Amino acid sequence: AHPADNYFVIWELNGELLVGGYPIHIYFADLNEDITVTSEFFPIVVTWPTAMLNHGEQLSDAVITGGETGLPGSFVFENPDQRPEPGTYDDIPIVFVPDDSQNYGPVYGTITVFVDFSDAVEELQTAQINVYPNPARDRLHIYSQWNINRIIISDISGKTIYSESSGQTEYNIHLSGFESGTYIMHFYTEKGVIVKKIVVDR
């Protein structure tokens, strides 16, 4: 160790992150003197949230749900003025800003953002791919004007629950392994990717 070295110190007591000023002293034998090291604290983000917004809206308009942190605070997008196109985005930069900004610094990460369609685009999607019933209980029927090369169904957190690749125009999906809730369906067709929401009500 040398006086010019940088050290990252995490202060914990019985698994809890300590708050406040805790200067430490490191003794260098070759220098025969103490050096005071200052520390900066960062809150713990246990799980990152997800976000949903309508097509045409800015990220600042998104509804952020979920997420668990060790301290009170808020999630803020790094580029709040961005207007994403319809689809699912897995790596949107976001910052958790703790309320106690004097003792804690911000934490940077990425989250999954679901961008819905405007009414006009939604009507077009309905004409292209029919998904019924919705809400669904035991089985989901899908009919498409074009071949669907791949179907991916993910939960609201972005976790893939179902995936199938067979290049058909009609599908019947059993929902026995699905819990009640909202799911996002991605249809990969010869005309592009179409995104729809379904609700499973068991």
Side-chain angles (χ1 to χ4, degrees):
H2 302 283
D5 289 345
N6 294 320
Y7 300 91
F8 180 72
V9 179
I10 298 178
W11 295 96
E12 290 187 2
L13 178 62
N14 297 327
E16 297 293 332
L17 190 66
L18 298 179
V19 183
Y22 295 93
I24 62 175
H25 298 274
I26 299 178
Y27 177 75
F28 295 92
D30 55 338
L31 298 177
N32 195 29
E33 64 181 36
D34 287 345
I35 294 180
T36 299
V37 180
T38 57
S39 56
E40 183 177 7
F41 298 99
F42 297 89
I44 297 174
V45 177
V46 180
T47 57
W48 291 90
T50 58
M52 298 187 67
L53 68 153
N54 294 317
H55 180 221
E57 293 181 332
Q58 297 179 341
L59 286 177
S60 58
D61 300 319
V63 177
I64 300 176
T65 59
E68 181 181 354
T69 61
L71 291 173
S74 57
F75 290 96
V76 180
F77 287 102
E78 287 193 40
N79 302 301
D81 297 334
Q82 183 179 353
R83 299 178 186 268
E85 292 298 314
T88 300
Y89 301 86
D90 295 324
D91 299 309
I92 299 296
I94 199 168
V95 184
F96 175 70
V97 182
D99 291 343
D100 185 3
S101 58
Q102 292 185 347
N103 291 304
Y104 291 92
V107 180
Y108 295 84
T110 58
I111 67 171
T112 299
V113 175
F114 301 99
V115 183
D116 205 349
F117 297 89
S118 63
D119 293 339
V121 177
E122 186 64 42
E123 292 177 1
L124 178 61
Q125 303 307 317
T126 302
Q128 294 172 345
I129 295 182
N130 293 320
V131 179
Y132 61 93
N134 189 14
R137 180 180 297 274
D138 301 313
R139 188 187 297 249
L140 195 65
H141 304 281
I142 301 169
Y143 173 76
S144 172
Q145 296 178 355
W146 311 304
N147 285 337
I148 301 175
N149 299 320
R150 188 181 184 190
I151 296 176
I152 295 179
I153 304 177
S154 58
D155 61 19
I156 205 67
S157 70
K159 178 182 178 181
T160 298
I161 306 298
Y162 177 90
S163 178
E164 181 175 352
S165 302
S166 57
Q168 303 178 30
T169 58
E170 297 185 39
Y171 290 82
N172 290 303
I173 300 176
H174 293 277
L175 303 175
S176 57
F178 288 68
E179 298 180 355
S180 296
T182 301
Y183 295 85
I184 308 298
M185 302 188 70
H186 285 77
F187 300 94
Y188 294 81
T189 76
E190 58 194 59
K191 299 294 184 179
V193 181
I194 297 172
V195 182
K196 287 182 176 293
K197 286 191 296 185
I198 62 167
V199 175
V200 175
D201 185 9
R202 308 195 61 81

